[in-house]
Structure formats: structure tokens, C-alpha cells
Amino acid sequence: MDDAYGLAVTVQKAPECADKPESVDLSHHLSELAKARISSPLKSLYKYFNKPGMLSLAGGLPPPDYFPYESITAQTLAKNSFKTTEQGFAAWLWSLIAGAKKTDEWSIPKWDQDKSRVQLSSAFQYGTAAGLPPLAQFIYDFTARVYRPATSDFHCVINAGSTDAWGKIVTTLCNPGDGVLAEEWTYPSALATAWPNGIKPVALPMDGDGLTVDGMDHVLANWNPQEHDGMQRPRVLYTVPVCQNPTGGTVSLERKRAIYELAVNYDIIIVEDDPYYFLQSGEYKRKRSVSTTKTESDEDFLASLVPSYLHLDYQGRVVRIDTFSKTICPGSRLGWTTCNPVFAERLERANESSTQAASGMSQALVGSLLAEQWGYSGYLRWLKGIKAEYRNRRDTLVDNLLDVAHASLDVREASAGVYEVSRRSSEKFTSQSEKTRPLMSFVAPVGGMFGGWASGRVLALYADCSSSALCYFPARSSPLVPNDNRLALYPPPATTVWLRVHFSEHRQFRSTPTPELLMSLWEDLAEHNVLIVPGTIFSAAAVGQSLASSDSDASADGYFRISFSSAKPDEMGEACKILAQRVERFFRE
Amino acid sequence: MDDAYGLAVTVQKAPECADKPESVDLSHHLSELAKARISSPLKSLYKYFNKPGMLSLAGGLPPPDYFPYESITAQTLAKNSFKTTEQGFAAWLWSLIAGAKKTDEWSIPKWDQDKSRVQLSSAFQYGTAAGLPPLAQFIYDFTARVYRPATSDFHCVINAGSTDAWGKIVTTLCNPGDGVLAEEWTYPSALATAWPNGIKPVALPMDGDGLTVDGMDHVLANWNPQEHDGMQRPRVLYTVPVCQNPTGGTVSLERKRAIYELAVNYDIIIVEDDPYYFLQSGEYKRKRSVSTTKTESDEDFLASLVPSYLHLDYQGRVVRIDTFSKTICPGSRLGWTTCNPVFAERLERANESSTQAASGMSQALVGSLLAEQWGYSGYLRWLKGIKAEYRNRRDTLVDNLLDVAHASLDVREASAGVYEVSRRSSEKFTSQSEKTRPLMSFVAPVGGMFGGWASGRVLALYADCSSSALCYFPARSSPLVPNDNRLALYPPPATTVWLRVHFSEHRQFRSTPTPELLMSLWEDLAEHNVLIVPGTIFSAAAVGQSLASSDSDASADGYFRISFSSAKPDEMGEACKILAQRVERFFRE
């Protein structure tokens, strides 16, 4: 390893931000670790580094002549490779079978006369912690135009992926012993990153639209350290506000405003982890074959997305995490963090003593594609195509699930977007009330990659009839389970999310902890070739415990997350069929 | 961000390791942070992930169809681009002006029928924390064959560059309040990485060949926590044993054996940060124009390199950090850590909650080059060429310095490789004793990128005559400076390293702290277009302080590091000339 001088990248400020206020001083949120980070002692000497005529015997930089790469050529899909004008299964199938797409070919040379362009001699050299200048400028402009932050002095720091970013953010803001607020069901790696640093999650209530305002207010207003092993009221909220992982919930603008005001009142820093922002694909319609004549305009596209917390953040208390993992590719390990300048400076110092810069190879390949090939409008066109593709996948999975349900079940749309599945009259329960009692219900997710059974924004699969036969109830009519303390501190309200299996009717319910039953069902499904994710790993309250924790757990319900991001159409149908069969058998045996 | 399942890469074990012992249990060295790291709760479920026929609705993996990159083509220098058969200025000049070199062109497709090959669909996808399988296998085999570890169960973990690796290693082994042993002059970023975690450096004595055995033994044998603010005896040594940064010193095999035995006796973990291993280029010869008829064999090349601590490590207490920054390019942010399986597993967990995998773009570009284009022998040929290039640079800088010295000074080789520079009899000091008294001395470094004045393994530039005129003394005859506590806890012995300037003769010596004088000289040099690095930033004892610390410091000496890694031949000559002029003037004024 050697010297990587942490020269800050100077971006050209966006004119649209000029009239916005500056962020307020929030430096009291910095952790002891963050305050102890050492600025490079060479910082005061930077002014000489680019002095014309300087004879440098200073750096430990290998000469680019010794980099083996002379040029890199990429063949990339055209920005309009994915159709946005058709929807549903047929459109998706077409994109799958359409064969070779139009591609563009472009190269990055080792040296370019124009020093402002991406070139291997600088991109593959030691870089600054803030990132490669052309990519940094693109990202700053994109952030300014797409998210329209409410402060003029926001900074963007290129990072090595969202997990890396979050790890640096949480240790920059929290000390050991601090808590971090999080949705009660959340991305487990986020909690696993905070945990070993002695930073514990504090679960906040959710409903089908994400974090609830009342729930958050309640937790903060009634905070008593004595009830939390002495933990002070948390100062940091970790949230996935759009197409949440695992529940698929999306927080509305109105709710975001209310949550932001709570953050102002309680002096909370909001860390917005938002990988699915551009996958907000609108309501599901049964068996749709919509076809429009033209791609929506950039303005319409952006207006269709719920604004980021950044847009509401007039104080600079939002730290937004963006990633290229979902829109370009995960292997880039590349993204950026947007926040106030004080936090940004400390995050750059954190980069310097860990990853230094993100991979220069990633920055060159992504930077040249975005800044030099596609540009702002081209990237938006690409995003519209990706959004349409995930919408088609969502539609296909939901269609499939409803078709499978038809084999022995009736389906009806109970209210807008909410589907209920009932047993047919020919089945065991034949009275009118039993016949119309829904066995299963779900709300089709409005985007993202995840869903409950078939879709995921709401799905509950119950077995809490008084008889021993398997029955399904909609989540919204589920009884609260009083001793459900570990899996969900605040039992999810009726309109909440994803696959919920009620284990109280299982014959081993009293003798076997629910997590063990859940894992037993999970393993049975896996043995029958259906792989879904046990909900236990998403529990903010259960972080640090094993999936089949041995402590006695009498929760009646268990959860699974179902993803529609990568399966093919026929796989989705087949998986849904097997899932229904195995769950029924699991309870019968 | 999303799920990156930490599947361990299964490498094919090297047969040459089979008869070696397994590492001993050193798990008592794990920090509280390391022990608290959460294994992925999905770990027990991995066996299903690659089950044939599995219908996966589990992962949050974007389909590779949505990665814009269809193929990447690289044009790379031929592995034998740099001559190894000629040495010195002429050879280097030739490599500079020789123009376009032979290149190879190769491509990485998105999909390859052969799943074992590097391909974008998997390399650009979420990856495992242990790294891309073909690269991981190459690295494991390379480590086994080149370093010949003394245990059979060593593991290699791909990391995102050495700074990232060290940050994870030091927090995996040390708790806040612990100390880490380090050479008294060392790589400042390593200390800056440990420092905010409450891990303080403990400086160990060095001589011109690196860390001294007696010095290390003395510190460990006489450790008294009360003399170190309660700090227990450190359990971890951070060392750069080859072509050390900044001093250029290289620890011999014999000395490595003795240091390793100290580590066994005191239960120390040796962290070997070794970026310059392949740049060990042998002794400097004055005005050499050596020309051999053929490139040395792989065996001769490897035999010419001092063995790694890994080769001596029969217990598994060595953690070795390798990087591609010096041999491929820094922008890859790619390297690997070799250590015992217990530490490796915890380091993989640390990866999972930060960088996840190293950039897949880097792993694909470096992995395909090494594993599929060059192979083991091809990479060794490339390394020989790079070594020869740095040797030519070293020779050129030393030649130049001695030529410049000739303008007003005499040069003689005092002993093998040690050069002394004396004032000419026509100068002010004319008595016989003064005439033969050397003004300057240095040992030409045996490799790496750094040196003291002109070379760096040993150079001392003094101004400690009784007169006010500028004089030079060789380092080996320097008086110990009794109050030199901050810049070096253990004053460097006479045979030690790099540019040493004695400020006690400066007229502001009493009124101005030495670090300020040093920075004043540094700034004067920079104003006159010579950029070198103030030694202060390499001081293990002064980490966390500013360069021109305001606390009164009466040290008589200051240091500069001079690098020969990136300057061109004429720049080196010009810089040496200016340096001599400005230093003389600095003391005269």
C-alpha cells in the first residue's frame, strides 16, 4: 500500500441549488471514532502538488507506463434496449427471446489529450477518496437534477457500494452502546454491519406503506433509557423508504414530510438507503396488456417517483445512499453518499483509511458509460427501461400466482390492488361464510424486487381456524398475537407485508419453537426445489440470533420473503404451484 | 444494497503443502469486534443454493441481462514488454523512448459455456466475500508456489487493497486501548487507520536493514504497562520487511528467523505488509552497464528474493498482505491477505459487512489477465520486467546524485554499497581531517521505490559542525541526540536510513521547533520546484500530530523521503542539483 493523497474533488456547483439554504451545524452527531480520524498531514501541502514545472520525488505512484492495460473497450447495450411502451408477460417474454440487442462499442485509452476525460493513466492510478473527477461531476449533477436537494451545500462522496457506505456512516454517527432506529423488518446486512460495533437496532413499527409516523413518534416520545439497558434515545434512523427490502412497502411523500418533521423535532439523522428508487413501477393491474405509443418524458418519469428525503431536507440531516448495483451491476461495487459537507469530509477520511478510493476500474467503466457515452438523458432512458422490465416481472409473478390459485381457489379484488383468495365451494368448507372467507390476500407491490407470496406488499397465509384443517386469512383481519415479542416488537398492522405463515395450528406448535417450524417448512420447500428467504433474517429485533434460535419462542406467525428479480416466467409459475402444495402438506402432516 | 451471500470459495489445495503442519490455535488474539461479527444466518442454507433444478425466488440478484456490459476487451502489454537483460540509464531510456510495445488483445464475454472461466454475468454480479473463483484459485496457487508457506491450512482472502486489508486485520486483532508494534519510521496511513479505533503505535528500533532483533526484544522484555498509560504488551507487529517505506531497508532471512522466534516467544502476530516484494533488485553498482544474454529463470528470480515470513511461519501467526497496486495498477484496489483459517474466516465476515467482495470489474480484468492470459509463468516474467525497470530507475537516481556531488564534492565508496561524499580541498575546510571528513553518505537501496538522498537505504545530511557553515557527516558517526524523544523513541543507529538534516546549526534552532524548520526547508524546496516528503509523517511516535507541531521540539535532526518511482531521468538530475543548492542556502541564510 502507499500514499493516496486525499485531494477533495472540486465539482462544479449546480445553478439550481444556489438559492437554497445551507445545512445547519449537525457536528454534535459525529462519533468519537469520526472525530478521532486523522486528516492527512500532507493536506496543507496540496497546493504544490499540481504546480507547473514541479520535479516530484515525493509520491509512491507507479508510472502508468507500467500498467499492463493500454486500452479497455466495452461493448454495451444501447440505452433504449428495453421497451417502455408495452407491459406484462408478453413484453417481458419478448425482451427475453428478442435475441441480440443493439450495442455500442467505446474505448477508454491509457492517455487522452483532453485531461478531463476518463483515461486509464489516471483512473487506474491511486485516486482521491472522493472519486474520479468525471464520474464525481456526473453524480453531483445527477443528484442535483433528479433529487433536487433542499440545501445548497450537499456533497456527494463516491463509495465502494452501499454496505461499505452504511458501515462508514453508522460508525461516523454512532458510538458503541448507541442504538439505531430501523424498520422492524429490514435489510439484515445493515444490522450485521452495525452490530459488532456495539450499535444495536431499535425496531420501529411499519405498515404496508413502510415506517409509520405514529409508531416512530411513540417510540421517541416515550423513550426511557432504563427500559433499554441504559441506551439513550437513538439519534440515527436507518430506513429503506422505497420498495422496501423485504416488505416492498413505499413511503408516500406526505408520510415522508411527517417523518422528516419528527426527525427535526427529535434531532434525528435520517439515513436513506434507496437502491430501488428507480424501480417504482406503479400499481399492478390483473392480466394487463397495456400498450402506449411513446416512452414517458424525463419530467413525467421523475415526477412519477416519490421524492427522496433529500428534497425535503432543509437542514442537511439526511444522508442518502445511492448504488449502481440495481441499475448498472452489483459487481461495480460502486455508489455514492449524499450528505452535508461536515459528514462528507469525515466520510472521505474514513475512505482514506480503508478502501481509499472505490475501484478505479469500476469508476472508469461506469464513469465513461454514464458521463461520456449516455449522459444524463441517456441514463434516464436506461432507467426507464429497467423499471419497465421489473414491472413486467412483477406483473408476471402476480398473474401466475392468481392463475395457480384458480386451480382450487377463487380470487377477487377486495379493494384497489388488494386481492383475496378463497377456497372453492367444492372443498371441505361448504357453508356460505366459510366459502367466502378468504384464505390468502396480498397487495401487489408497487415496485422493487421483492414481494410476499406472489407479490409481497401484503400477503398473509394463516392457519388459525379452530379446526385442524389448513385455512388462510387475509392479513388485515389477523388477530394480534400477544406474545409475539421477538419476531416483531410491534405486530405488523393488518395492511402489512409479505408471506405470513401461522404456525399455531401445526401439531408441533407447542413442542417446537416457531423459528424451528419456519425453518422446517423452508427446508421442505428447498428440498422440493423452491428457494425463498425465511423472514427471520430480516427481523431488526432478532439480529445476532440464529435462524432457529433455541430460546423458546411461542410466536404464532412466521414470514417468508419472495423475490421476483431473477426467476424466469415458467419458473415463477412452477414455484408458486409447489409452494402451495408443500405448505398445505406441511400443515396436514 | 442487497444480499451477498458469503459463500466461501473452495480452492483446490496445492499438493506441495500437504506435508506441512496445520496452524496452531491463535483464536485468543481475536478482538471483541471480530468475535461479535455475525455470520450470515443463511450460512446453514448454502447447500441448497446451487442445487440443480432449484427454482429461486430467494435472491435479490438483478438478472445479468440487465447489466449494460455485453463484453469487455482489453489491450494489454505483452508479458515480456520490459527487458531484463540490460541495466541502468540506457536500458531505462530505451524503455521510455522505444515507442509502441507489443500488445495482446483479449475479451471477457458476458456468458461463457465454460462456467469456470471469467465472465461478466458472474463477475459483475454480487460475489462472495472470498473473491471471484478463478482469481482466488490463481492467487492461492501463486501464494503456495512463490511464498511456500510453512503450514498446510493457510487461506487467501481477496481484499479491496492493502489499506482496506490492514484496517480489517488490525480491528480483527486489536481492541481499543491496545498497542501495535511498528517500525519507528513507517507507512503513515497504516497508523492513521489504526489510530481512530483507539489502537496506538509502539515504535520499534530500526537500522539500515529494517527492524532490529535486539530492539524488539528489548521493548517486549522490559514492557511495563505503567510506562505506557496502562497499555498491555502489544500482541501485534505491523511491519514492511522489504524495501521498507519510507526507509528502503530490507530485512534479511537470518533476521526474519530471529524476529519470528521472538514472535513465537512473546506470542506476537506478525502482519507483513509487503508491496515491494518483487522489486528487490540487488546491489547498486556505480555506472553499471551490465548486459546479460538471458533473462533469469523463474527459480533464480524467486531465489533472489528474501523469503516471506510466511515461509518461516510453522504456527500460522503471520498475516501477509499482498497487493496488485505496484505490479499491475493501484486503481484495481485489489490484493489478498494470507493467514490461518480462523483469522481468514473472520476477515471474510468483515468483508461481508463492508466492501462485500472487491470490485467485480477489477477481479474480472485482473483475474482474466493473470489466470487466463498470462498464467503463473507469464506473471513471473512480467514481474521480472517490472523489477528491472525499478532497478534502472534506482541506478539512474544514484548515478545522477553522485555526478551532482562531483561538481563540488568528492565521492568514495567507503564500504560495499556505502558511499561517502566529502567536500573538495578547494572549499572552505582545508585541513586534512576536514578534507577527508565525509559530508554525506548513503547506501544505495536494494529495491523498492524509495530512498534517502539519491538512494535512501542510508543517507545522512548533517549540519552539526561547530562552525556556522554547512557540513555533512555520515549517519554512522552521528551523535545520539538525547532529547530526540518525539521524532524517534529509539534514536536510529548509525547505519540507518534516508535523508537526515541536522537543524541544530540553523540560526533559528533555539527559537523554532525542529519540525517547523523542517517544514520551512520543505516549503523552500517546493517553491523551487522540488517535491519530496517530510519525514515527520512517517514517525510512528508522532502519529496524530500536525507536521509543524507547536509543542517545543528540540530535536537536532529532521528527515526527508525521496522516491525514484515516477520521475524521469532528467528530472532526477535537476532535482538533485536544486536540492543541494537550497539546503546549503537554507543554512547559510
Side-chain angles (χ1 to χ4, degrees), chain A residues 2 55 57-59 66 68 70 73 75 77 124 126 163 187 326 331 356 359-360 362 389 527 529 531 561 563, chain B residues 2 48 55 57-59 66 68 70 73 75 77 124 126 163 187 326 331 356 359-360 362 389 529 531 561 563:
Chain A
D2 206 310
L55 303 164
L57 302 178
Y66 301 166
E70 289 291 288
T73 301
Q75 199 188 20
L77 293 173
F124 286 14
Y126 284 108
T163 305
Y187 177 56
K326 304 299 186 287
Q356 300 197 345
S359 159
S362 293
E389 283 291 301
E527 288 289 349
N529 283 359
L531 201 61
R561 186 192 77 175
S563 160
Chain B
D2 206 307
Y48 293 110
L55 303 164
L57 302 180
Y66 301 166
E70 290 289 289
T73 301
Q75 199 188 21
L77 293 172
F124 286 14
Y126 284 108
T163 304
Y187 176 57
K326 304 299 185 286
Q356 300 197 345
S359 160
S362 294
E389 284 292 300
N529 283 358
L531 199 61
R561 186 194 77 174
S563 161

Side-chain angles (χ1 to χ4, degrees), chain A residues 103 209 308 343 357 393 436 526 533 539 556:
Chain A
T103 57
D209 299 321
S308 160
F343 293 177
R393 290 175 164 271
T436 57
V533 181
S539 168

Side-chain angles (χ1 to χ4, degrees), chain A residues 1-3 33 36-38 41 45 47-49 51 53-63 65-77 82 92 96 103 124-126 162-164 166 187 192-193 195-197 238 245 273 275-276 325-326 328-333 352-362 365-366 369 374 382 386 389-390 393 449-450 519 522-523 526-527 529-533 537 543-544 547 561-563 565-567 571 574-575 578, chain B residues 1-3 33 36-38 41 45 47-49 51 53-63 65-77 82 92 103 123-126 162-164 166 187 192-193 195-197 238 245 273 275-276 325-326 328-331 333 352-362 365-366 369 374 382 386 389-390 393 449-450 519 522-523 526-527 529-533 537 543-544 547 561-563 565-567 571 574-575 578:
Chain A
M1 56 174 126
D2 206 310
D3 327 279
L33 175 78
R37 286 200 189 284
I38 302 168
L45 319 176
K47 60 178 175 177
Y48 293 111
F49 284 5
K51 191 184 165 198
M54 185 62 87
L55 303 164
S56 179
L57 302 178
L61 307 184
D65 301 324
Y66 301 166
F67 302 168
Y69 307 92
E70 289 291 288
S71 75
I72 300 286
T73 301
Q75 199 188 20
T76 51
L77 293 173
F82 298 104
W92 180 27
L96 280 175
T103 57
F124 286 14
Q125 186 54 280
Y126 284 108
S162 292
T163 305
D164 186 54
W166 163 244
Y187 177 56
T193 297
W195 181 271
N197 296 290
Y238 171 81
N245 180 4
D273 183 11
Y276 312 109
S325 288
K326 304 299 186 287
I328 301 290
C329 61
S332 66
R333 304 315 308 130
E352 279 166 9
S353 61
S354 59
T355 48
Q356 300 197 345
S359 159
M361 292 177 163
S362 293
L365 283 171
V366 175
L369 178 66
W374 284 352
W382 174 259
I386 294 292
E389 283 291 301
Y390 281 105
R393 290 175 164 271
M449 294 182 169
F450 307 112
M519 290 314 297
W522 182 90
E523 197 154 349
E527 288 289 349
N529 283 359
V530 173
L531 201 61
I532 56 180
V533 181
I537 72 160
V543 64
L547 286 191
R561 186 192 77 175
I562 302 183
S563 160
S565 71
S566 47
E571 292 172 343
E574 183 65 13
I578 296 170
Chain B
M1 56 174 128
D2 206 307
D3 326 279
L33 176 77
R37 285 201 191 283
I38 302 170
L45 319 177
K47 60 178 172 177
Y48 293 110
F49 285 6
K51 191 184 165 199
M54 185 61 88
L55 303 164
S56 178
L57 302 180
L61 308 182
D65 302 324
Y66 301 166
F67 303 168
Y69 306 92
E70 290 289 289
S71 75
I72 300 287
T73 301
Q75 199 188 21
T76 50
L77 293 172
F82 297 104
W92 179 28
T103 57
F124 286 14
Q125 186 55 280
Y126 284 108
S162 292
T163 304
D164 186 54
W166 163 244
Y187 176 57
T193 297
W195 180 270
N197 296 290
Y238 171 81
N245 181 6
D273 183 12
Y276 312 109
S325 289
K326 304 299 185 286
I328 302 289
C329 62
R333 305 314 307 130
E352 279 166 10
S353 60
S354 60
T355 48
Q356 300 197 345
S359 160
M361 293 176 162
S362 294
L365 283 169
V366 175
L369 178 66
W374 284 351
W382 174 260
I386 293 292
E389 284 292 300
Y390 280 106
R393 291 174 164 272
M449 295 181 168
F450 309 112
M519 290 315 298
W522 183 89
E523 196 154 351
E527 288 290 349
N529 283 358
V530 173
L531 199 61
I532 55 180
V533 181
I537 72 159
V543 63
L547 287 188
R561 186 194 77 174
I562 303 181
S563 161
S565 71
S566 48
E571 292 171 344
E574 184 66 15
I578 295 170

Side-chain angles (χ1 to χ4, degrees), chain B residues 17 19-25 150-154 313-316 341:
Chain B
C17 303
D19 59 341
K20 305 278 170 56
E22 292 203 343
S23 53
V24 302
D25 180 9
T151 55
S152 60
D153 58 351
F154 70 90
D313 178 26
Y314 56 87
Q315 292 192 323

